[in-house]
Amino acid sequence: MITPETGLARQQVVAAARYIHRRGLTHGRTGNLSIRLGERILITPTGASLGSVQADQLSVIRVDGEHLGGPPASKEAFLHVAMLRARPSATAVVHTHSSYSAAVSCLAGLDPDNALPPLTAYFAMRVGQLPLLAYHAPGDLALGPLAEDAAQRHPALLLRNHGPIVAGQDLDSALDVVEELEETAKLFLLLHGRPVQPLTTEQADALAPTR
Ligand SMILES: [Zn+2]
């Protein structure tokens, strides 16, 4: 199972895991990430901390989710499978419980079609429209089809009372989106209660990421 390709891929996953941990985008054993290599997905294992998971501790699953090697995959692997199935051009998925994004996901009264306004050009460029998916208990597979449907139109989704999940062309671009989303969620909460002027629909649409 370990080829030079997956050996390099393992290093990339671990480097991204450490980056997420160092940036404070994850806590405890939360968060998971994956990359797709042809018909296989390399993904962080269940119960792993992104601060300490090692290259030889990653799980390998098939693109349909079946376990192929290594320890059992993250219990949220089905969401990675759904995101990658919905977005053929994507090769990486990052999911975190990062604090500001998770805080926004708990607010009442959000627009389910777009949980955050385009406060900045960078959010409009990297994230665009952000669907909010209904709450599901951890591991509830019913969330998979909802994520797959929404991901066909949007690279970033916000899971209610949970956190963001993002598909990208590669790990670096998925990480960029997770960070941009987290910073915009922080701005959104900082601005709470004040009159806000986000970008207009025209301004945001002109910058929207390619679907
Ligand atoms: Zn999660």
Side-chain angles (χ1 to χ4, degrees):
M1 183 54 60
I2 299 179
T3 66
E5 183 189 35
T6 52
L8 176 63
R10 284 167 186 268
Q11 297 303 328
Q12 289 174 350
V13 169
V14 168
R18 293 292 185 278
Y19 179 80
I20 289 169
H21 190 259
R22 204 165 54 239
R23 295 278 292 148
L25 294 167
T26 182
H27 61 276
R29 296 172 188 276
T30 65
N32 34 73
L33 59 158
S34 66
I35 53 177
R36 171 163 57 189
L37 301 154
E39 293 300 302
R40 290 174 287 158
I41 296 172
L42 190 61
I43 184 166
T44 47
T46 186
S49 162
L50 298 188
S52 60
V53 68
Q54 300 294 321
D56 61 358
Q57 296 170 338
L58 302 178
S59 310
V60 181
I61 60 174
R62 227 165 48 185
V63 285
D64 63 4
E66 186 185 324
H67 183 257
L68 291 176
S74 160
K75 290 190 178 67
E76 296 175 309
F78 71 99
L79 291 173
H80 293 244
V81 168
M83 298 292 286
L84 290 169
R85 189 154 47 204
R87 302 190 71 81
S89 63
T91 69
V93 175
V94 176
H95 165 59
T96 66
H97 298 180
S98 37
S99 302
Y100 291 100
S101 302
V104 167
S105 82
C106 299
L107 290 174
L110 295 174
D111 177 356
D113 292 330
N114 195 13
L116 278 175
L119 293 175
T120 68
Y122 293 95
F123 181 83
M125 227 181 308
R126 293 196 167 126
V127 181
Q129 201 177 322
L130 179 68
L132 178 71
L133 300 196
Y135 172 78
H136 286 70
D140 184 345
L141 300 181
L143 188 54
L146 298 182
E148 185 171 342
D149 179 60
Q152 284 173 16
R153 296 176 300 282
H154 307 287
L157 313 176
L158 186 62
L159 313 178
R160 243 238 186 274
N161 304 87
H162 188 164
I165 186 161
V166 171
Q169 276 184 321
D170 51 37
L171 270 176
D172 283 348
S173 50
L175 280 172
D176 277 350
V177 173
V178 166
E179 285 200 285
E180 194 61 46
L181 208 167
E182 180 70 356
E183 290 305 312
T184 303
K186 186 176 179 179
L187 292 180
F188 183 72
L189 294 168
L190 280 171
L191 292 164
H192 180 72
R194 299 177 191 221
V196 170
Q197 182 175 312
L199 270 62
T200 64
T201 304
E202 291 70 28
Q203 288 167 335
D205 285 351
L207 299 169
T210 317
R211 297 296 167 218

